[in-house]
Amino acid sequence: LVLYVADHSIITGPSYGNARRVLLGGSAMMAWVNIVSYTVHAPRFSFLLHTLQRGSRSSGTFLISCLPLFFGFSCFGTIVFGNYDFEFSTMDMACSTLFSVTNGDSIHDMFAALSDSPSGSTTLPQLYLYLFITVFIYAVLNVFMVIMEQAFAQVLSAEMAKHLNQPIEGDLLGDLDDVLRSG
């Protein structure tokens, strides 16, 4: 069906091949994502889906509340460092760079790249990166992980209560193996 639509669309020329690949790739991805919906009926395999459902509202709200701060750091990086550092040359590049730094990629490289400023001052770039890392890695990322861990614990508790038919007390993760074996 996807290939038929791509073959009979009004898109022609070089973008035709790209559109066809995007449609085909998107269809393949959605076919695999659709398989996840079948795990709902098998408790052993549905922890990820249930955890994402349980934590999506809280984590989404939290991430949206962090966006202004993230874009503030991105704008500052683009305006101050964009003229001499490729990683901050555009707003898109600054966002990609800061997202990579948030995930722990190339932190040392960023310190080295920003310390090569034409002004010769390394204080501002270091202060900028230290502040960004402190806020986003130590605070934002950890709060996000706690939200998702809490969602997982709630899903696990509900699943254990359903299987054991009694209230849950004690170590939730320690009893996970028992629940999975009985399910």
Side-chain angles (χ1 to χ4, degrees):
L1 177 66
V2 171
L3 293 176
Y4 178 81
V5 170
D7 285 338
H8 294 88
S9 67
I10 59 171
I11 301 172
T12 58
S15 61
Y16 167 76
N18 290 338
R20 189 170 190 224
R21 280 194 292 276
V22 167
L23 285 172
L24 189 58
S27 298
M29 182 182 81
M30 295 314 292
W32 282 102
V33 169
N34 189 36
I35 291 173
V36 174
S37 67
Y38 293 104
T39 65
V40 174
H41 305 292
R44 291 181 180 173
F45 303 110
S46 65
F47 281 104
L48 174 63
L49 185 62
H50 288 264
T51 300
L52 291 174
Q53 286 174 339
R54 178 75 55 116
S56 64
R57 184 172 182 179
S58 298
S59 62
T61 304
F62 176 70
L63 290 177
I64 288 172
S65 70
C66 295
L67 283 178
L69 191 58
F70 183 80
F71 286 131
F73 273 99
S74 298
C75 286
F76 182 85
T78 302
I79 293 167
V80 175
F81 308 120
N83 288 338
Y84 63 88
D85 191 355
F86 175 73
E87 282 87 7
F88 290 96
S89 59
T90 65
M91 185 69 171
D92 185 42
M93 289 294 297
C95 288
S96 297
T97 300
L98 292 178
F99 183 76
S100 296
V101 169
T102 302
N103 288 304
D105 295 341
S106 66
I107 293 175
H108 188 267
D109 295 338
M110 286 312 323
F111 276 103
L114 291 180
S115 66
D116 295 337
S117 70
S119 66
S121 172
T122 60
T123 307
L124 181 63
Q126 286 181 348
L127 183 64
Y128 170 76
L129 285 174
Y130 285 137
L131 187 60
F132 178 80
I133 289 168
T134 301
V135 170
F136 277 90
I137 292 180
Y138 298 136
V140 172
L141 196 59
N142 284 319
V143 169
F144 179 77
M145 287 180 7
V146 167
I147 291 171
M148 293 311 292
E149 284 178 10
Q150 196 173 35
F152 177 76
Q154 290 171 354
V155 168
L156 182 60
S157 177
E159 198 64 40
M160 289 177 67
K162 187 173 22 173
H163 285 291
L164 299 176
N165 207 9
Q166 59 186 359
I168 303 302
E169 296 177 5
D171 182 24
L172 294 174
L173 295 178
D175 297 331
L176 174 62
D177 192 44
D178 296 332
V179 170
L180 293 176
R181 288 183 189 178
S182 69

